[in-house]
Amino acid sequence: MRKTLFTCLALLLPVLPLLAQSSFVKPVIFGLKGGLNASFFTKDVDLFDPASSGNDPSFRRFLRAAAFAGITVDYMVGERFSVGAEVLYNARGMAYRQKNNSVIMIGQNGAEQAYNYFKYKVDYLELPLTAGYNVLPVASDNWLTGYVGLAPAIAINKAVKLDYPKPNAGPWEGQADKSGNLDGVRTFNTSMLAGIQFGGVPSFVGAYADLRASYTLFPVFTENNSLSGNNLNTRMLSFSFGIGLKF
């Protein structure tokens, strides 16, 4: 009996590390993530297009910085390969700046240039679908995954806002900011995306960082030109940095 017991133990010893390792491998991993986007139109649009009639040469392009947040789920196809899905609220868009010579701004060095800011706000509900590969050793406590995918999206907020400078000299209070609906935005769009994630293996909860770039497959607007004939045929490019938890 004792000899049989020792024989069984001897046969099990090489297998125990594999059993211990597999007990900590989670085939399905859920998570939360959030962060900041920097997005812009790939071409100047409508009145901001230098080729448009009546264009103000003082216009300058700027990124729109906005937030995103959502939930994630990853399925481990193998030790290194994974597929994932996310549900994100993703605020994107574009910004333009125009000189305003009617407003006096006084800074530490005297008079300063004042600016109007035009903001295109196009916020999406996205469903990114990804495939990733972990380049670090399987036994490592960390993972570094490169991934690619597609992100179908629905535009749930389409707005434009004009922010006027607020004078800090003189009796004039300046103009009130204006906002309204942004017409002609494509409701359904899809983006190509690629990125990298780095984090700790979640024995219970693991933190990670995410860098991503995405590009819309279809133009942001449904028409190539506005009613005045100005350009509307532009895509959107976004770069994002996020942090999250997986458990």
Side-chain angles (χ1 to χ4, degrees), residues 65-127:
F68 71 91
I71 60 176
T72 68
V73 59
D74 296 289
Y75 178 74
M76 303 304 299
V77 179
E79 290 183 330
R80 293 180 180 271
F81 287 99
S82 62
V83 293
E86 304 172 358
V87 179
L88 298 179
Y89 179 86
N90 203 338
R92 302 167 72 182
M94 183 69 192
Y96 291 90
R97 189 182 74 179
Q98 178 191 33
K99 289 182 179 179
N100 187 328
N101 296 320
S102 300
V103 173
I104 299 175
M105 305 292 291
I106 303 298
Q108 293 180 350
N109 298 321
E112 297 179 351
Q113 179 65 56
Y115 297 96
N116 304 328
Y117 288 91
F118 297 81
K119 299 178 182 178
Y120 287 87
K121 298 181 177 183
V122 187
D123 302 339
Y124 293 95
L125 182 64
E126 286 189 340
L127 180 64

Side-chain angles (χ1 to χ4, degrees), residues 58-229:
S58 71
F59 282 127
R60 293 292 181 269
R61 293 156 53 97
F62 281 85
L63 300 170
R64 185 198 175 196
F68 71 91
I71 60 176
T72 68
V73 59
D74 296 289
Y75 178 74
M76 303 304 299
V77 179
E79 290 183 330
R80 293 180 180 271
F81 287 99
S82 62
V83 293
E86 304 172 358
V87 179
L88 298 179
Y89 179 86
N90 203 338
R92 302 167 72 182
M94 183 69 192
Y96 291 90
R97 189 182 74 179
Q98 178 191 33
K99 289 182 179 179
N100 187 328
N101 296 320
S102 300
V103 173
I104 299 175
M105 305 292 291
I106 303 298
Q108 293 180 350
N109 298 321
E112 297 179 351
Q113 179 65 56
Y115 297 96
N116 304 328
Y117 288 91
F118 297 81
K119 299 178 182 178
Y120 287 87
K121 298 181 177 183
V122 187
D123 302 339
Y124 293 95
L125 182 64
E126 286 189 340
L127 180 64
L129 305 172
T130 61
Y133 180 80
N134 177 23
V135 300
L136 294 184
V138 176
S140 174
D141 292 333
N142 299 308
W143 46 271
L144 177 63
T145 298
Y147 63 89
V148 295
L150 292 174
I154 302 174
I156 56 177
N157 181 46
K158 313 167 189 177
V160 62
K161 186 178 181 184
L162 172 55
D163 291 338
Y164 289 104
K166 301 300 181 283
N168 60 3
W172 188 43
E173 295 182 358
Q175 294 178 267
D177 296 339
K178 298 179 181 179
S179 60
N181 295 326
L182 181 58
D183 297 327
V185 174
R186 189 181 302 274
T187 301
F188 297 96
N189 211 324
T190 300
S191 297
M192 301 182 297
L193 59 87
I196 55 173
Q197 289 185 357
F198 175 77
V201 176
S203 56
F204 177 66
V205 176
Y208 70 95
D210 185 306
L211 290 172
R212 174 178 296 180
S214 63
Y215 179 80
T216 56
L217 291 177
F218 305 102
V220 175
F221 300 95
T222 56
E223 302 293 336
N224 290 333
N225 300 96
S226 65
L227 294 176
S228 58

Side-chain angles (χ1 to χ4, degrees), residues 38-75:
S39 57
F40 62 93
F41 295 158
T42 57
K43 296 180 181 179
D44 283 305
V45 62
D46 202 16
L47 293 176
F48 304 103
D49 187 350
S52 67
S53 58
N55 173 265
D56 185 337
S58 71
F59 282 127
R60 293 292 181 269
R61 293 156 53 97
F62 281 85
L63 300 170
R64 185 198 175 196
F68 71 91
I71 60 176
T72 68
V73 59
D74 296 289
Y75 178 74

